[in-house]
Amino acid sequence: MTPPTGRALRLTVVVGENDTWHHRPLYTEVVHRAHAAGLAGASVFRGVEGFGAASLIHTTRILSLSEDLPVAVLIVDEEERIRAFLPELDTLVQDGLVVLDACEVVRRPGRGGAPEGTPAR
């Protein structure tokens, strides 16, 4: 299920925090579909400020009225598995950004590093 260390592909999906899919946050739907597809893992990161195609700046600053902050879903797995998942995103992501980057996995939890439960240095 998880990729070995070595070459991999990183999928980044950037959407708005308020984007939904059938009354559910879009980023949640992406994570659940990635899980169902058996991908190695997915993480969601909430931006503190950003803008997209509409050129509207969204920020967490107190004086701002905007709350639709950028959200990034990151998934790293073997290239074939990531590319097989892309059709799922075609149905979900209408206004977001989907990016693929080649990357190298040098360490992953439970393998190739300190035993689980050992504090990182």
Side-chain angles (χ1 to χ4, degrees), residues 7-69:
R7 298 179 71 154
L9 203 60
R10 176 179 48 220
L11 168 65
T12 305
V13 180
V14 182
V15 296
E17 182 178 37
N18 293 338
D19 292 347
T20 60
W21 176 261
H22 296 277
H23 309 292
R24 179 182 198 176
L26 179 56
Y27 60 86
T28 297
E29 187 66 22
V30 172
V31 167
H32 284 263
R33 288 195 187 194
H35 184 259
L39 295 177
S43 298
V44 178
F45 299 91
R46 182 176 186 235
V48 296
E49 189 166 22
F51 71 93
S55 292
L56 297 173
I57 294 180
H58 304 276
T59 180
T60 58
R61 284 182 271 160
I62 264 187
L63 297 177
S64 173
L65 298 176
S66 174
E67 294 179 1
D68 189 22
L69 295 167

Side-chain angles (χ1 to χ4, degrees), residues 107 118-121:
R107 184 170 182 222
T118 303
R121 295 179 189 223

